[in-house]
């Protein structure tokens, strides 16, 4: 696999008007809602491990 995967839609507004952002690797900008965000691969999970059901950090 030679190319990186690109997001299909903005995580904030859901629009598909995305372009690479100049701030760095994995950074994208949505021209529909004027937001910039960055995607980061955290790693692979080991088989059999459980995570919290909300998918985020505990409050």
């Amino acid at each position: 696999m030679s190319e990186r995967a690109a997001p299909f839609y903005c995580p904030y507004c859901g629009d598909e008007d995305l372009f690479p952002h100049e701030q760095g690797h994995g950074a994208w900008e949505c021209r529909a809602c004027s937001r910039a965000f960055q995607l980061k691969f955290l790693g692979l999970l080991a088989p059999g491990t459980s995570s919290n059901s909300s998918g985020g950090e505990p409050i």
Side-chain angles (χ1 to χ4, degrees):
M1 209 184 288
S2 62
E3 292 185 27
R4 302 271 176 168
F8 293 113
Y9 57 88
C10 174
Y12 297 100
C13 72
D15 202 275
E16 299 175 357
D17 194 15
L18 300 176
F19 291 89
H21 190 61
E22 60 208 26
Q23 286 295 334
H25 183 71
W28 294 87
E29 62 183 52
C30 176
R31 295 189 179 163
C33 68
S34 299
R35 289 184 172 139
F37 57 93
Q38 188 169 15
L39 302 176
K40 181 179 178 182
F41 178 70
L42 298 177
L44 297 173
L45 298 176
T49 60
S50 63
S51 63
N52 59 10
S53 60
S54 65
E57 294 182 12
I59 298 176

